[in-house]
Each structure stands twice: as C-alpha cells, then as structure tokens.
C-alpha cells in the first residue's frame, strides 16, 4: 500500500511540474511577443516609420497565398477585360465575315 501511495504522489508531482512548464511556456511566448514590439520602439528614433513598415510587412504576409494577393487581382482584372472585349466583338460583330471573304 505504501508503494502505491508513493507512486501516486510521484505521478501528482509530475503532473504539477508539467502544468508549471506549460504555464511557463505561455509566459515565454507572451514575453517574446512583447519584446518584439518593444524592439521596434527602442531601436530607432523613427518609431512611426518602423511601425508602418512593420504593419505593411505583416499585412503583405497575411495576403500571400490568398485570393486577394495583389498579383492575382491584377491578372484577374486583365483576364476579365479581355473576356468582356471578346464577348463584345462576338455580339457586335458583322454578319459578313470580312476576314474569311476572299475578293479578287
């Protein structure tokens, strides 16, 4: 019986240590995020410029791989303009095919 109680106590101590380590990991992550923000403030006198550059960088990273990526928007815009032009030519085209007609 004493051996079972000892094992149970050791298991409870291990569980407590694991919980403490998880809380410590969360604290380290929060500290790292805070440190990253404060580095922007302390490193340079031009705080607003660095903050804006950081915001743009994060915004650009957020758009990569999504449908709103700027290059995809540009490509789809060109594609839609060309498609509308082709449809317009088909609808408003002449009934006489001047390209095919061969006049001698």
């Amino acid at each position: 019986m004493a051996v079972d109680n000892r094992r149970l106590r050791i298991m409870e101590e291990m569980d407590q240590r694991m919980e403490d380590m998880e809380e410590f990991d969360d604290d380290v992550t929060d500290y790292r995020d805070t440190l990253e923000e404060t580095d922007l403030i302390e490193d340079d006198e031009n705080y607003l410029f660095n903050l804006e550059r950081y915001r743009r960088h994060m915004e650009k990273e957020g758009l990569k791989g999504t449908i709103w990526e700027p290059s995809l928007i540009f490509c789809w815009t060109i594609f839609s303009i060309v498609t509308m032009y082709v449809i317009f030519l088909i609808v408003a085209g002449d009934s006489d095919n001047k390209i095919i007609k061969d006049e001698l």
Side-chain angles (χ1 to χ4, degrees):
M1 188 74 173
V3 173
D4 290 336
N5 286 337
R6 182 174 166 254
R7 288 183 182 168
L8 183 62
R9 184 175 42 85
I10 290 173
M11 287 176 55
E12 288 176 356
E13 287 177 8
M14 292 298 292
D15 285 341
Q16 183 63 34
R17 286 182 186 171
M18 293 292 285
E19 288 175 9
D20 291 343
M21 287 181 159
E22 288 174 1
E23 289 175 11
F24 180 73
D25 185 44
D26 293 340
D27 292 341
V28 168
T29 305
D30 292 341
Y31 177 73
R32 189 176 299 137
D33 292 341
T34 305
L35 187 62
E36 183 177 306
E37 291 174 4
T38 56
D39 283 346
L40 288 174
I41 297 171
E42 295 173 355
D43 284 347
D44 197 5
E45 297 171 359
N46 205 353
Y47 167 68
L48 292 177
F49 178 72
N50 283 340
L51 190 62
E52 181 66 18
R53 183 173 44 185
Y54 178 73
R55 185 191 62 79
R56 286 184 183 175
H57 174 71
M58 294 306 286
E59 189 175 276
K60 186 190 304 180
E61 290 295 321
L63 290 178
K64 281 190 177 176
T66 65
I67 189 117
W68 297 111
E69 187 172 351
S71 61
L72 285 177
I73 292 173
F74 182 70
C75 290
W76 281 111
T77 303
I78 290 174
F79 177 77
S80 61
I81 291 171
V82 170
T83 304
M84 286 188 294
Y85 180 69
V86 169
I87 291 172
F88 173 75
L89 288 179
I90 291 171
V91 171
D94 284 324
S95 60
D96 296 336
N97 293 334
K98 295 179 183 177
I99 297 173
I100 299 173
K101 193 186 270 186
D102 188 19
E103 296 181 17
L104 290 175

